[in-house]
Amino acid sequence: MPTATYADRRQQLETYFDRTAVEAWKRLTSDAPVSGIRATVRAGRDTMRATLLDWLPADLTGRRILDAGCGTGALAIEAARRGAHVVAVDLSPQLVALAQDRIGHDHGDGRIDFRVGDMFDAAWGHFDHVVGMDSLIHYKPADVVRVLAGMAARTGDLMLFTFAPSSAFLQAFLAVGRLVPRGDRSPAIVPVAEHKLRQRIEADPAFQGWRTARTHRVARGFYTSQALEVLRG
């Protein structure tokens, strides 16, 4: 079951993305011109999405994938084009509605089921692969591992997710962000050192039979995120 800290942060994220930031995300995830800062975030997200897609099998025909925190659906669409059945889940009804508007019929032979809700919910069923791009970066490391452990019990052989790598730059950036009036802030990112996150995963009994593998950091201006691969076997 989710912890109180997970539930509190989940509520903050739902409120932020569904009310405060929906227009900004609509523009950021489109082809519309954006400011220099947001352009670096867009470029970073595009690069990270390409990395995660590259780590998935080229042929996903018949595979069931959870896109945990799907946002406006860009990754889900690309996975469906490879033949996957994607369950794309996000907390924000506004973002899911936008994703559904954008998808059209351009998803190849695959299938996408968009759902509003918590990526942690066991009701979504079992999957061959799970992908969580920037959907866990706002949670405490203990909650991140707890969510991944719950997903591992329902996942065949591969989980890919991103985290905010701890660095002097990111810590300074977050310190500056605390000066922004509280009502205008996005929920805080929680940095974690890669080796500490690996240790937490590898020490958790829920990950017996799993191992951490590849990692890759993407840094583009104001976007910094790191992918980690977790494999069964």
Side-chain angles (χ1 to χ4, degrees):
M1 294 294 291
T3 64
T5 54
Y6 176 85
D8 287 346
R9 183 50 58 91
R10 179 185 59 196
Q11 183 59 53
Q12 293 172 15
L13 290 167
E14 180 180 356
T15 301
Y16 177 73
F17 285 107
D18 210 42
R19 301 178 188 175
T20 307
V22 64
E23 287 302 319
W25 274 89
K26 182 177 181 179
R27 190 173 187 85
L28 179 69
T29 58
S30 71
D31 295 327
V34 290
S35 67
I37 291 174
R38 288 182 175 173
T40 66
V41 174
R42 177 187 284 173
R45 286 179 55 80
D46 288 347
T47 301
M48 179 57 78
R49 186 185 313 110
T51 297
L52 297 175
L53 287 165
D54 186 58
W55 287 1
L56 288 170
D59 184 0
L60 293 171
T61 303
R63 305 290 181 96
R64 194 166 190 262
I65 294 179
L66 174 64
D67 184 358
C70 65
T72 55
L75 189 146
I77 291 171
E78 292 300 324
R81 286 173 179 164
R82 298 186 192 178
H85 171 195
V86 185
V87 177
V89 179
D90 201 278
L91 288 171
S92 168
Q94 295 262 28
L95 292 183
V96 170
L98 179 58
Q100 290 173 316
D101 287 343
R102 287 181 174 177
I103 185 174
H105 301 288
D106 187 22
H107 52 81
D109 296 328
R111 170 183 166 192
I112 306 176
D113 293 331
F114 285 106
R115 296 287 184 266
V116 176
D118 188 346
M119 59 187 170
F120 190 74
D121 195 336
W124 309 127
H126 288 73
F127 299 90
D128 296 291
H129 313 310
V130 169
V131 183
M133 177 176 150
D134 295 346
S135 53
L136 292 170
I137 61 175
H138 300 283
Y139 295 99
K140 292 183 177 181
D143 286 331
V144 170
V145 173
R146 188 179 182 89
V147 170
L148 291 173
M151 290 178 174
R154 305 188 296 275
T155 302
D157 58 12
L158 172 65
M159 295 191 295
L160 306 175
F161 71 100
T162 64
F163 62 95
S166 183
S167 67
F169 171 80
L170 184 55
Q171 294 289 357
F173 176 75
L174 294 175
V176 171
R178 296 186 189 102
L179 301 177
V180 176
R182 182 170 296 275
D184 297 329
R185 294 182 201 169
S186 64
I189 291 171
V190 182
V192 58
E194 177 193 339
H195 72 280
K196 291 184 178 180
L197 186 56
R198 285 184 185 267
Q199 287 173 355
R200 281 178 175 270
I201 292 172
E202 292 166 1
D204 193 314
F207 289 96
Q208 184 174 2
W210 291 83
R211 60 185 174 87
T212 58
R214 288 179 289 184
T215 189
H216 180 70
R217 183 177 299 190
V218 174
R220 299 288 187 276
F222 280 79
Y223 179 90
T224 300
S225 188
Q226 187 160 340
L228 183 63
E229 179 183 50
V230 186
L231 301 172
R232 188 187 291 276

